[in-house]
Amino acid sequence: MAFERLTWVGFMIVAAGWALLFSAPHLGGGAADLAAARATIDFSAVAQSLIVCGLGIAVIGALQTGFGALNKFFETVALRAQQGRGGAASGPASGGPGRGVARQKAPAPQGPTRRVLERGWVKDRAYVQFADGSVEVDTMLGRRLFPSLKDAQEFIA
């Protein structure tokens, strides 16, 4: 799992808190002014606060990364749904070259029944290939009709 900058900053603050907590007994020097200053500062409380705040910042950074990935997922699903309706694809969610092209649904055959040539699986999705070359696939968005098996595989990939 890749951590973003905010998460790493949180981890560094936690490390600084632990370093302060372990070195607090050694911070009291021989000088009188340092001993007077140490009496007013509770290093263990500061260290504990650093640890808790650092963990909070790290969790916020991890949540930000996770919600960003979730947002990209929903943008991709919305883009694929738009492509399924024949709309033009645009925006940052198009996943690379050739993904922003709108796909047209294969026209339904004119006859009352379609002859099934093959049934199988594309990735983890069931498909039915018909005599005219069109393929019907069970997708996360429902049953979809594609002009060819290659188009179905590109959509699911």
Side-chain angles (χ1 to χ4, degrees), residues 3 11 14 30 32 35 41 44 53-54 60 83 88 103 114 123 131-132 135 140 154:
F3 294 119
F11 287 152
V14 169
I41 298 174
S44 63
C53 289
I60 289 172
Q83 288 175 349
R103 291 186 177 86
R114 294 185 285 183
K123 301 260 181 181
D132 64 349
V135 177
M140 291 174 50
E154 288 177 5

Side-chain angles (χ1 to χ4, degrees), residues 66-85:
F67 284 123
L70 190 62
N71 189 29
K72 287 179 186 176
F73 168 75
F74 285 122
E75 285 176 358
T76 303
V77 169
L79 179 68
R80 287 185 178 179
Q82 182 182 16
Q83 288 175 349
R85 289 189 299 263

Side-chain angles (χ1 to χ4, degrees), residues 2 27 36 42-43 67 84 92 96 106 121 124-125 134-135 150:
L27 290 178
D42 186 9
F43 286 113
F67 284 123
W121 295 88
D124 59 345
R125 307 280 178 201
S134 64
V135 177
K150 182 181 178 189

Side-chain angles (χ1 to χ4, degrees), residues 47-61:
Q48 290 172 3
S49 297
L50 282 173
I51 292 169
V52 170
C53 289
L55 286 175
I57 291 172
V59 166
I60 289 172

Side-chain angles (χ1 to χ4, degrees), residues 84-150:
R85 289 189 299 263
S90 63
S94 61
R99 302 289 265 170
V101 178
R103 291 186 177 86
Q104 299 294 325
K105 288 187 178 182
Q110 302 297 334
T113 60
R114 294 185 285 183
R115 197 177 72 143
V116 175
L117 284 182
E118 179 180 304
R119 294 180 188 269
W121 295 88
V122 174
K123 301 260 181 181
D124 59 345
R125 307 280 178 201
Y127 77 90
V128 178
Q129 186 172 16
F130 299 103
D132 64 349
S134 64
V135 177
E136 191 174 60
V137 180
D138 290 327
T139 67
M140 291 174 50
L141 304 171
R143 296 197 119 194
R144 301 269 320 254
L145 188 63
F146 296 94
S148 69
L149 184 59
K150 182 181 178 189

